Amino acid sequence: MSDRIGEFTQFRQRLNERILGQDNQVIRRFFALDTQTYKGGALDVKTKEMLGLVASLVLRCDDCISYHVAQCLEAGVDEDEFFEVFSVGLVVGGSIVIPHLRRAVDFLDQMTAGTSDDAS
């Protein structure tokens, strides 16, 4: 796994621990709500993660995109499904999503043993 992915994962874990270590019920409850939202229910985990990836593309949040790419991989999303998800995000979000789409594909490539570090 690339340094970028490791750094992203470590940063996220370290800061989540720091944030959740505070005695703040609003933050803790929001994080718990987020966790509960992505558990299987009427929609399975894979579908929910793909929805999260589309929303993240449309909202143009690179950290969220990276997180949901990783979660989608863990849930079994294959390359064809990823590109259909990317196409939905692009159509909904418009051309302003393209730089984020590039970073999503780069992160996906790195997670699946690709080594692309091209600029967006």
Side-chain angles (χ1 to χ4, degrees):
M1 207 174 284
S2 80
D3 288 341
R4 180 175 153 208
I5 295 166
E7 288 172 11
F8 172 77
T9 302
Q10 289 173 359
F11 174 81
R12 188 176 182 284
Q13 182 177 0
R14 181 173 55 85
L15 269 294
N16 282 352
E17 288 172 7
R18 166 79 170 95
I19 291 164
L20 293 172
Q22 295 299 303
D23 187 21
N24 185 301
Q25 287 301 316
V26 173
I27 292 172
R28 287 181 183 176
R29 287 178 179 162
F30 188 86
F31 274 56
L33 178 64
D34 181 72
T35 298
Q36 290 298 315
T37 298
Y38 287 94
K39 288 186 176 180
L43 297 175
D44 62 14
V45 171
K46 182 177 175 180
T47 301
K48 287 183 175 187
E49 288 299 339
M50 289 188 292
L51 290 168
L53 181 53
V54 167
S56 298
L57 284 163
V58 172
L59 293 170
R60 302 184 310 273
C61 176
D62 288 331
D63 281 358
C64 300
I65 292 166
S66 295
Y67 174 77
H68 287 290
V69 164
Q71 294 304 110
C72 281
L73 276 172
E74 190 173 305
V77 174
D78 67 28
E79 186 163 305
D80 290 337
E81 291 170 320
F82 267 111
F83 277 85
E84 286 196 21
V85 168
F86 295 154
S87 68
V88 172
L90 183 58
V91 167
V92 173
S95 63
I96 198 165
V97 169
I98 292 172
H100 304 278
L101 173 60
R102 289 182 188 124
R103 287 189 284 276
V105 171
D106 183 52
F107 194 79
L108 174 62
D109 287 349
Q110 289 181 52
M111 292 205 65
T112 57
T115 57
S116 174
D117 286 320
D118 295 343
S120 336

